[in-house]
Amino acid sequence: MVHLYVFNPAPKLRLLSTLFVRGSKRILGTVSESTSPLSAQSRSQQCTPFSLVPLEAPRLPEGQLVRDPDYYANSRKGFCAFLVENTLFNVHQVILSREPSAFDDMLCLPRPVDSTEGSEETPVFLTDTVEQFRDLLWALYAPPNELFHETGIDRLLNIAEMANKYCFFSLEAWTIEHIHALAADSATSGLLQSASPSTCGRIMDVAVLCGHVPLKELVAQRLVSRTLWYNTSPELILDIAERHGLRTLIGVCYYKQLISMECSGPSHSNSKATQMQMQTQTILPPSFNIDQSMLFLAAHRSLISLWEQIRSMPPPLPCEGCPSHSECELAWQIMWFQAGEVDETLRRGSADILGRMKSLMLGLRKAMADAPLMTMQCKMAALEAITGMRDEVLECLILHFTKTL
């Protein structure tokens, strides 16, 4: 939804009323000037190329207002003055009307002949920040080559937000595509990998605001990866996930919180009894209420149960055209059971199902590299099967934290 705070419909309504009454006079021919409902002041209004009726700006002492050093022109004719926070901008109307936008509509509204609206004395008051409005003007004034080479993510996000707010549709479309290209480019993949969670959240907000689904999905994927494998705090990511209803990311955040609560036992012990005892030690934070505690304890039990199912039943090995598929299946099952019992896999937390599956996959890759009984096509099918199982577990993590389980 576009929010515009600088419109006052009264001038346009007065113009429409004037046109309606004049048309009625021509048709009926019986309405006298003395009985006209319009005042002399209303009839004197004219439609000029510029009319803006600003909100009542905050009253600031004259000494506190500053002129923007880059976007304030010392001219009146054909220019429009804006007050943003405590900064005055004086912008050429041609720049604002270069393409259809909210400013283009505002500049065409009727105003009284003696109106000073849009001048430095009575500027149009906008509720944006100085940085936002300055970045929008930079985009409107900048030559194409500067736009295409711009990589500052904060500036691009400001431009996208402002273009969306003021209905610069072509500028909005170009900017959001440019942000997506920068985020997806392998040469600049660090954009989403190293950016702060707040910046990633803002990119997600802009992607949703502009309806750009590919960028939204890309940010969600990067945040899942960072939360799982790069120790990004799940508490910082959870707010983004819940704000936009990203169920997979919500499940990942809850999952990371849960496995961080597991108490680590002595890593030098190889006793399976000790390992089984470690599986039950989960320390919940004191800040949890009863409902949260019950939810996370139930999720803990559910994930342990799921791991036991996965370890005891390897995924099917579909492989058409293999001349010795039965031997491949038998070798696959043996390697699966062995990989699920190695210390590297069991050393992970009892609820750390994705960590255990990662160790399981590494063990299977090593085992299959030395497995002469499996054909290459069955080895590739086996790796695809474990990858598919891992992705399914990842997508369904949120289900372990629902009250229905």
Short mmCIF file of all heavy atoms in Angstrom, two decimals, residues 11 14 41 44-46 48 50-54 76 109-124:
data_model
loop_
_atom_site.label_atom_id
_atom_site.label_comp_id
_atom_site.label_asym_id
_atom_site.label_seq_id
_atom_site.Cartn_x
_atom_site.Cartn_y
_atom_site.Cartn_z
N PRO A 11 -8.50 21.55 -3.14
CA PRO A 11 -8.41 22.30 -4.40
C PRO A 11 -8.99 21.57 -5.59
O PRO A 11 -9.68 22.16 -6.43
CB PRO A 11 -6.90 22.53 -4.54
CG PRO A 11 -6.36 22.44 -3.15
CD PRO A 11 -7.20 21.41 -2.48
N ARG A 14 -12.74 21.60 -5.37
CA ARG A 14 -13.29 22.90 -5.74
C ARG A 14 -13.29 23.08 -7.26
O ARG A 14 -14.22 23.64 -7.84
CB ARG A 14 -12.47 24.01 -5.07
CG ARG A 14 -12.73 24.14 -3.57
CD ARG A 14 -12.21 25.48 -3.05
NE ARG A 14 -10.77 25.56 -3.12
CZ ARG A 14 -9.96 25.20 -2.14
NH1 ARG A 14 -10.47 24.77 -1.00
NH2 ARG A 14 -8.65 25.33 -2.28
N GLN A 41 -13.96 34.16 -4.52
CA GLN A 41 -12.62 33.62 -4.34
C GLN A 41 -12.47 32.26 -5.00
O GLN A 41 -11.47 31.96 -5.62
CB GLN A 41 -12.30 33.51 -2.84
CG GLN A 41 -10.89 32.99 -2.56
CD GLN A 41 -10.62 32.88 -1.08
OE1 GLN A 41 -11.49 33.21 -0.27
NE2 GLN A 41 -9.44 32.45 -0.75
N SER A 44 -12.09 32.48 -8.75
CA SER A 44 -10.84 33.05 -9.24
C SER A 44 -9.71 32.05 -9.29
O SER A 44 -8.63 32.35 -9.76
CB SER A 44 -10.43 34.22 -8.32
OG SER A 44 -10.10 33.72 -7.02
N GLN A 45 -9.95 30.82 -8.78
CA GLN A 45 -8.89 29.81 -8.80
C GLN A 45 -8.66 29.32 -10.21
O GLN A 45 -9.57 29.17 -11.00
CB GLN A 45 -9.27 28.64 -7.89
CG GLN A 45 -9.23 28.99 -6.41
CD GLN A 45 -9.51 27.78 -5.56
OE1 GLN A 45 -10.16 26.85 -6.05
NE2 GLN A 45 -9.06 27.79 -4.34
N GLN A 46 -7.41 29.04 -10.51
CA GLN A 46 -7.02 28.56 -11.82
C GLN A 46 -6.18 27.30 -11.67
O GLN A 46 -5.54 27.09 -10.65
CB GLN A 46 -6.22 29.62 -12.58
CG GLN A 46 -6.98 30.92 -12.80
CD GLN A 46 -6.11 31.95 -13.48
OE1 GLN A 46 -4.98 31.65 -13.86
NE2 GLN A 46 -6.62 33.15 -13.63
N THR A 48 -2.95 25.53 -12.50
CA THR A 48 -1.59 25.85 -12.93
C THR A 48 -0.76 24.58 -12.92
O THR A 48 -1.17 23.56 -12.36
CB THR A 48 -0.96 26.88 -11.99
OG1 THR A 48 -0.85 26.29 -10.69
CG2 THR A 48 -1.81 28.14 -11.90
N PHE A 50 1.53 23.69 -11.17
CA PHE A 50 2.07 23.27 -9.88
C PHE A 50 1.11 23.61 -8.76
O PHE A 50 0.66 24.74 -8.64
CB PHE A 50 3.41 23.96 -9.63
CG PHE A 50 3.83 23.93 -8.19
CD1 PHE A 50 4.08 22.73 -7.58
CD2 PHE A 50 3.95 25.10 -7.46
CE1 PHE A 50 4.46 22.68 -6.26
CE2 PHE A 50 4.31 25.06 -6.14
CZ PHE A 50 4.58 23.85 -5.54
N SER A 51 0.78 22.63 -7.96
CA SER A 51 0.00 22.89 -6.76
C SER A 51 0.22 21.76 -5.78
O SER A 51 -0.08 20.62 -6.08
CB SER A 51 -1.49 22.99 -7.08
OG SER A 51 -2.22 23.14 -5.87
N LEU A 52 0.81 22.05 -4.66
CA LEU A 52 1.00 21.09 -3.60
C LEU A 52 0.46 21.68 -2.31
O LEU A 52 0.71 22.85 -2.02
CB LEU A 52 2.48 20.76 -3.41
CG LEU A 52 3.14 20.01 -4.56
CD1 LEU A 52 4.62 19.87 -4.28
CD2 LEU A 52 2.52 18.66 -4.76
N VAL A 53 -0.29 20.92 -1.58
CA VAL A 53 -0.81 21.38 -0.31
C VAL A 53 -0.16 20.55 0.77
O VAL A 53 -0.52 19.39 0.97
CB VAL A 53 -2.34 21.24 -0.25
CG1 VAL A 53 -2.86 21.77 1.07
CG2 VAL A 53 -2.97 21.98 -1.42
N PRO A 54 0.87 21.06 1.43
CA PRO A 54 1.64 20.24 2.36
C PRO A 54 0.93 20.03 3.68
O PRO A 54 0.01 20.78 4.04
CB PRO A 54 2.92 21.06 2.56
CG PRO A 54 2.47 22.48 2.37
CD PRO A 54 1.38 22.42 1.34
N ARG A 76 13.52 29.87 -8.39
CA ARG A 76 12.12 29.66 -8.04
C ARG A 76 11.31 29.11 -9.20
O ARG A 76 10.52 28.19 -9.04
CB ARG A 76 11.48 30.96 -7.55
CG ARG A 76 11.95 31.41 -6.17
CD ARG A 76 11.28 32.70 -5.76
NE ARG A 76 11.64 33.08 -4.40
CZ ARG A 76 10.95 32.76 -3.32
NH1 ARG A 76 9.85 32.04 -3.45
NH2 ARG A 76 11.33 33.16 -2.13
N LEU A 109 -1.95 19.42 -9.55
CA LEU A 109 -3.14 19.82 -8.82
C LEU A 109 -3.34 21.34 -8.92
O LEU A 109 -2.37 22.10 -8.96
CB LEU A 109 -3.02 19.42 -7.34
CG LEU A 109 -3.13 17.91 -7.03
CD1 LEU A 109 -2.87 17.68 -5.56
CD2 LEU A 109 -4.48 17.37 -7.43
N PRO A 110 -4.58 21.81 -8.95
CA PRO A 110 -4.84 23.26 -9.03
C PRO A 110 -4.50 23.95 -7.72
O PRO A 110 -4.55 23.35 -6.66
CB PRO A 110 -6.33 23.33 -9.32
CG PRO A 110 -6.89 22.08 -8.72
CD PRO A 110 -5.85 21.03 -8.93
N ARG A 111 -4.13 25.23 -7.82
CA ARG A 111 -3.85 26.03 -6.64
C ARG A 111 -4.25 27.48 -6.92
O ARG A 111 -4.34 27.90 -8.08
CB ARG A 111 -2.36 25.96 -6.29
CG ARG A 111 -1.46 26.68 -7.30
CD ARG A 111 -0.01 26.55 -6.89
NE ARG A 111 0.87 27.21 -7.84
CZ ARG A 111 1.30 28.47 -7.72
NH1 ARG A 111 0.90 29.19 -6.69
NH2 ARG A 111 2.10 28.99 -8.62
N PRO A 112 -4.47 28.25 -5.89
CA PRO A 112 -4.76 29.67 -6.08
C PRO A 112 -3.59 30.37 -6.76
O PRO A 112 -2.43 29.98 -6.59
CB PRO A 112 -4.98 30.19 -4.65
CG PRO A 112 -5.35 28.98 -3.87
CD PRO A 112 -4.60 27.84 -4.49
N VAL A 113 -3.92 31.43 -7.51
CA VAL A 113 -2.89 32.14 -8.27
C VAL A 113 -1.82 32.72 -7.36
O VAL A 113 -0.63 32.69 -7.66
CB VAL A 113 -3.54 33.26 -9.10
CG1 VAL A 113 -2.47 34.08 -9.82
CG2 VAL A 113 -4.52 32.67 -10.11
N ASP A 114 -2.23 33.25 -6.19
CA ASP A 114 -1.27 33.89 -5.30
C ASP A 114 -0.65 32.92 -4.29
O ASP A 114 -0.02 33.34 -3.33
CB ASP A 114 -1.95 35.03 -4.54
CG ASP A 114 -3.17 34.52 -3.75
OD1 ASP A 114 -3.56 33.35 -3.97
OD2 ASP A 114 -3.70 35.29 -2.94
N SER A 115 -0.81 31.61 -4.49
CA SER A 115 -0.27 30.63 -3.55
C SER A 115 1.25 30.59 -3.62
O SER A 115 1.84 30.71 -4.69
CB SER A 115 -0.83 29.24 -3.84
OG SER A 115 -0.22 28.27 -3.01
N THR A 116 1.87 30.44 -2.46
CA THR A 116 3.34 30.31 -2.39
C THR A 116 3.76 28.90 -2.00
O THR A 116 4.90 28.66 -1.61
CB THR A 116 3.90 31.30 -1.37
OG1 THR A 116 3.34 31.01 -0.07
CG2 THR A 116 3.60 32.73 -1.78
N GLU A 117 2.82 27.96 -2.08
CA GLU A 117 3.14 26.58 -1.72
C GLU A 117 4.23 26.04 -2.63
O GLU A 117 4.19 26.19 -3.84
CB GLU A 117 1.89 25.72 -1.82
CG GLU A 117 0.81 26.10 -0.82
CD GLU A 117 -0.56 25.60 -1.24
OE1 GLU A 117 -0.65 25.02 -2.33
OE2 GLU A 117 -1.51 25.82 -0.49
N GLY A 118 5.19 25.36 -2.02
CA GLY A 118 6.31 24.82 -2.78
C GLY A 118 7.49 25.75 -2.84
O GLY A 118 8.52 25.41 -3.42
N SER A 119 7.37 26.93 -2.25
CA SER A 119 8.50 27.86 -2.18
C SER A 119 9.25 27.62 -0.88
O SER A 119 8.82 26.85 -0.01
CB SER A 119 8.01 29.29 -2.25
OG SER A 119 7.21 29.60 -1.11
N GLU A 120 10.38 28.28 -0.73
CA GLU A 120 11.17 28.11 0.49
C GLU A 120 10.39 28.60 1.70
O GLU A 120 10.55 28.09 2.81
CB GLU A 120 12.49 28.86 0.38
CG GLU A 120 13.38 28.68 1.61
CD GLU A 120 14.74 29.33 1.44
OE1 GLU A 120 15.06 29.73 0.31
OE2 GLU A 120 15.47 29.44 2.44
N GLU A 121 9.51 29.61 1.52
CA GLU A 121 8.73 30.13 2.63
C GLU A 121 7.69 29.12 3.10
O GLU A 121 7.42 29.01 4.30
CB GLU A 121 8.05 31.44 2.23
CG GLU A 121 9.00 32.61 1.98
CD GLU A 121 9.74 32.49 0.65
OE1 GLU A 121 9.26 31.70 -0.20
OE2 GLU A 121 10.78 33.15 0.48
N THR A 122 7.08 28.41 2.19
CA THR A 122 6.08 27.38 2.53
C THR A 122 6.41 26.11 1.77
O THR A 122 5.73 25.74 0.82
CB THR A 122 4.67 27.87 2.17
OG1 THR A 122 4.64 28.23 0.78
CG2 THR A 122 4.25 29.03 3.03
N PRO A 123 7.45 25.40 2.17
CA PRO A 123 7.84 24.18 1.45
C PRO A 123 6.88 23.04 1.72
O PRO A 123 6.11 23.05 2.69
CB PRO A 123 9.23 23.88 2.03
CG PRO A 123 9.18 24.44 3.41
CD PRO A 123 8.33 25.67 3.32
N VAL A 124 6.94 22.06 0.86
CA VAL A 124 6.14 20.84 1.04
C VAL A 124 6.84 19.98 2.10
O VAL A 124 8.03 19.69 1.98
CB VAL A 124 6.03 20.05 -0.28
CG1 VAL A 124 5.27 18.76 -0.06
CG2 VAL A 124 5.34 20.91 -1.32
#
